[in-house]
Amino acid sequence: MGAQLRVYKRRIRSVTATKKITKAMEMIAASRIVKAQRKVAASMPYATELNRAVTAVATGSTTKHPLTTEAETPARAAILLVTSDRGLAGGYSSNAIKAAEQLTERLRGEGKEVVTYVIGRKGVAYYGFRERKIAESWTGFTDSPTYADAKRAAAPMIEAVTQETAEGGVDELHIVFTEFVSMMTQNPVDNRMLPLSLDMTKDEESKGEILPLFDFEPSAEDVLDALLPRYVESRIYNALLQAAASEHAARRRAMKSATDNAGELVKSLSRLANAARQAEITQEISEIVGGASALADATAGSDK
């Protein structure tokens, strides 16, 4: 009985130590969410104005350009998948990977060859374990991305979209990331970055805003060439910031759940330990009473 009690006490100490760790991780993730949200809010004005500039060029010119013109028969598409570098975030990375897999199947169903780029160790490990080819990958910055990280990831994709498909280029650029909606809701989404969707230009018109007329110098094509890298970098940077906020929120929620579960387990183990200790005490009392009774009987027999 004493051995069983020692096992319960050892498990209680172990679970209590784990609970302290998960509680600390929950508090750290909660503090980082606020910083990530501020970065998302700070990046929105630049992204909004850049989208307006691209929309103005797209509607004000007839120049054929990879930024605004869809290929007649698109043959290759690139997907940038954003996952996390670390685990303990619930289904954050697996949900993003699942969304990327669904997008891949849809594009292949349309007869397009898919080229995959991955950000985050979880995504790299997923494709590596299945021995599936990755065009390029980046790791080490998913919880706190910078614009330099987005620029580094955008460079090979911009190069691919400006090349002919026969030379290894692509006709479309897609990005899969986790959109931050609230502290409790984060949704994996897939967005097409290039070519620019016509729905974006329609959205500007539906707001009732009158877009100004522009003269392009030296030409609309040169303006689009200058906007292309800025546009892709901005979209990737905004996606990385939203993904970082989502990752912290998912980790906070997962660690809170783990902390609550650890507390319940400690209560359950404490009840079992108390029952074992009570059983041990009862057994000891029974042995004492039995021994005293046997001694009394022996003493009474000797007196006769």
Side-chain angles (χ1 to χ4, degrees):
M1 219 34 104
Q4 186 178 13
L5 183 59
R6 285 195 296 272
V7 170
Y8 286 138
K9 287 184 176 179
R10 186 164 59 248
R11 289 192 62 190
I12 289 173
R13 288 195 298 270
S14 176
V15 174
T16 301
T18 302
K19 180 181 177 182
K20 291 179 180 179
I21 295 173
T22 56
K23 183 63 177 179
M25 294 183 68
E26 175 191 347
M27 296 175 66
I28 292 172
S31 66
R32 289 179 175 177
I33 293 173
V34 178
K35 296 179 182 178
Q37 285 180 296
R38 290 174 181 170
K39 289 183 178 180
V40 172
S43 70
M44 289 305 296
Y46 175 79
T48 300
E49 290 304 318
L50 183 57
N51 286 340
R52 285 175 57 86
V54 172
T55 299
V57 178
T59 56
S61 68
T62 58
T63 302
K64 290 186 177 181
H65 193 273
L67 184 61
T68 58
T69 306
E70 294 192 30
E72 295 182 1
T73 55
R76 302 185 81 217
I79 296 177
L80 175 62
L81 169 62
V82 181
T83 62
S84 67
D85 285 319
R86 298 185 294 126
L88 302 178
Y92 167 77
S93 291
S94 60
N95 290 336
I97 291 172
K98 187 183 298 183
E101 291 287 88
Q102 293 173 351
L103 176 60
T104 300
E105 291 300 319
R106 177 163 58 84
L107 293 174
R108 286 175 177 169
E110 296 172 359
K112 301 171 185 174
E113 179 186 352
V114 177
V115 182
T116 305
Y117 298 83
V118 180
I119 292 176
R121 291 190 178 93
K122 291 298 179 180
V124 173
Y126 175 86
Y127 285 92
F129 179 76
R130 289 157 180 78
E131 297 182 350
R132 296 168 59 178
K133 185 178 179 181
I134 299 176
E136 203 159 341
S137 62
W138 304 268
T139 59
F141 56 82
T142 58
D143 59 343
S144 183
T146 63
Y147 193 85
D149 298 322
K151 189 172 183 179
R152 186 155 49 94
M157 303 187 72
I158 294 171
E159 182 180 357
V161 82
T162 54
Q163 291 179 339
E164 297 292 334
T165 54
E167 301 174 356
V170 297
D171 300 309
E172 297 177 358
L173 290 183
H174 299 261
I175 184 169
V176 178
F177 65 99
T178 306
E179 182 182 32
F180 182 85
V181 180
S182 66
M183 294 286 284
M184 298 302 297
T185 306
Q186 301 87 40
N187 299 323
V189 296
D190 62 88
N191 292 336
R192 191 179 77 172
M193 290 189 290
L194 294 178
L196 182 67
S197 175
L198 295 178
D199 293 336
M200 294 181 63
T201 59
K202 292 178 181 178
D203 289 342
E204 294 292 334
E205 296 174 358
S206 64
K207 295 178 183 178
E209 298 181 4
I210 300 176
L211 296 176
L213 297 177
F214 291 94
D215 288 329
F216 304 108
E217 293 184 2
S219 67
E221 185 175 1
D222 291 331
V223 174
L224 289 171
D225 287 338
L227 286 176
L228 175 60
R230 304 288 88 76
Y231 173 77
V232 175
E233 292 165 5
S234 173
R235 291 289 299 273
I236 293 177
Y237 182 52
N238 183 262
L240 288 176
L241 291 178
Q242 293 208 45
S246 300
E247 178 184 347
H248 295 315
R251 182 168 291 111
R252 186 199 69 84
R253 190 167 60 251
M255 291 300 98
K256 184 180 186 306
S257 178
T259 302
D260 294 342
N261 291 339
E264 292 297 323
L265 184 56
V266 168
K267 290 180 182 179
S268 177
L269 291 172
S270 297
R271 285 194 293 267
L272 292 173
N274 291 335
R277 183 166 55 249
Q278 184 63 41
E280 184 178 353
I281 293 172
T282 302
Q283 183 178 356
E284 291 177 355
I285 293 174
S286 298
E287 291 174 354
I288 293 172
V289 171
S293 178
L295 182 60
D297 292 342
T299 302
S302 62
D303 290 342
K304 293 178 180 179

